[in-house]
Every structure is written in structure tokens, then in C-alpha cells.
């Protein structure tokens, strides 16, 4: 998926119906509206790539979006849209890509020697990361 300016321009028109989802995706609303769900369904049928592009660029300051990815991934099931947005989260990243990014954007002494990529982290009931379990898991992979 290219994320060029041309891709973004092509997607802008097909995503206007999803604009009504922004309050829900930003955690300002408790549930998606009917307009949000119909807009999402239409956008997913028209071009799922565009929906993924917006989710991928959700932290771009030029867009000014406030999107909670956890909420976004669950939106299709709430709207009964037969598709899965978890594929848009960027989880297909590999170790080499992370290391290239770090080498480019961090001071050399801050670049990690090894990277471990996981889908989730063990957490307590209150949502705190169980760092001891994470450390044990990493040590077992070395």
C-alpha cells in the first residue's frame, strides 16, 4: 500500500462518509452512529485500502485526527460490516524495518541491538504491563 499524496487525494472523496465516525473513534462518543456504520460499510466496499491508509496515518499531525486504534479495530463488528481492520494496524512490520527506523531517527547509542515484535503484551486486570513476564519471554528467545 503506497501512502503517496496521490493515494491520499484519491481516498479523500471515498472517506467522507466515515467522518461521522470520528467522535466514536476518538472516544468522545459511547457508540457509533447509524450514519457512521453506513459510511464505514460504503467505504469498505468502495476501497478498504483508503480506510487502512487513514488508520495508518492516524498520528500524522497534518491530518489532525484523534483515532484510538483499539476502538477502530472493533468498529466493523459493531457496525456489522463483514471486514477486519486489524490488518491495517501495521502489524506486518519486521525487525529489520524497526532497526532501520531506529538507526535513522535515534542517536547511535540508543539504537537497540535486537528487536522483539509481538501482537500483545501480558497485562494485569487494570491494564498495566506485566514487565517481569515480558522480560522472561524475551530471555527465553535469546
Amino acid at each position: 500500500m503506497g501512502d503517496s499524496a496521490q493515494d491520499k487525494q484519491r481516498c479523500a472523496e471515498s472517506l467522507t462518509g466515515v467522518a461521522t465516525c470520528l467522535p466514536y473513534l476518538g472516544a468522545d462518543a459511547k457508540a457509533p452512529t447509524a450514519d457512521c456504520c453506513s459510511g464505514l460499510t460504503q467505504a469498505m466496499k468502495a476501497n478498504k485500502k483508503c480506510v487502512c491508509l487513514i488508520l495508518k496515518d492516524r498520528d500524522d499531525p497534518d491530518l489532525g485526527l484523534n483515532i484510538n486504534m483499539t476502538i477502530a479495530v472493533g468498529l466493523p463488528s459493531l457496525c456489522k460490516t463483514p471486514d477486519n481492520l486489524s490488518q491495517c494496524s501495521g502489524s506486518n512490520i519486521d525487525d529489520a524495518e524497526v532497526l532501520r527506523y531506529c538507526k535513522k531517527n535515534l542517536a547511535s547509542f540508543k539504537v537497540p541491538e535486537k528487536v522483539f515484535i509481538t501482537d500483545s503484551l501480558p497485562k494485569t486486570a487494570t491494564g498495566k504491563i506485566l514487565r517481569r513476564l515480558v522480560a522472561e519471554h524475551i530471555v527465553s528467545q535469546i
Side-chain angles (χ1 to χ4, degrees), residues 21-106:
C21 297
L22 291 175
Y24 176 70
L25 294 173
D28 294 329
K30 292 186 181 195
T33 64
D35 289 341
C36 165
C37 289
S38 63
L40 176 67
T41 302
Q42 184 178 5
M44 295 295 275
K45 286 179 183 174
N47 195 346
K48 180 181 175 184
K49 176 183 173 183
C50 291
V51 177
C52 287
L53 184 65
I54 290 298
L55 292 177
K56 180 178 167 262
D57 291 344
R58 68 190 176 278
D59 295 325
D60 183 342
D62 292 337
L63 294 176
L65 298 175
N66 177 24
I67 296 176
N68 180 317
M69 192 62 184
T70 304
I71 293 172
V73 169
L75 186 59
S77 64
L78 285 173
C79 290
K80 297 184 180 30
T81 301
D83 220 322
N84 185 353
L85 292 179
S86 64
Q87 302 157 359
C88 302
S89 66
S91 60
N92 57 352
I93 195 167
D94 65 0
D95 298 4
E97 189 175 343
V98 173
L99 288 173
R100 274 193 303 277
Y101 178 85
C102 290
K103 287 177 183 175
K104 180 181 171 189
N105 294 292
L106 298 175

Side-chain angles (χ1 to χ4, degrees), residues 89-141:
S89 66
S91 60
N92 57 352
I93 195 167
D94 65 0
D95 298 4
E97 189 175 343
V98 173
L99 288 173
R100 274 193 303 277
Y101 178 85
C102 290
K103 287 177 183 175
K104 180 181 171 189
N105 294 292
L106 298 175
S108 60
F109 69 92
K110 293 182 178 182
V111 175
E113 293 177 18
K114 179 103 175 107
V115 175
F116 296 91
I117 296 178
T118 182
D119 291 331
S120 63
L121 296 171
K123 296 181 182 176
T124 66
T126 60
K128 293 182 180 180
I129 296 172
L130 295 167
R131 293 181 287 165
R132 191 170 291 155
L133 289 178
V134 172
E136 289 171 5
H137 180 69
I138 290 172
V139 168
S140 71
Q141 291 186 5

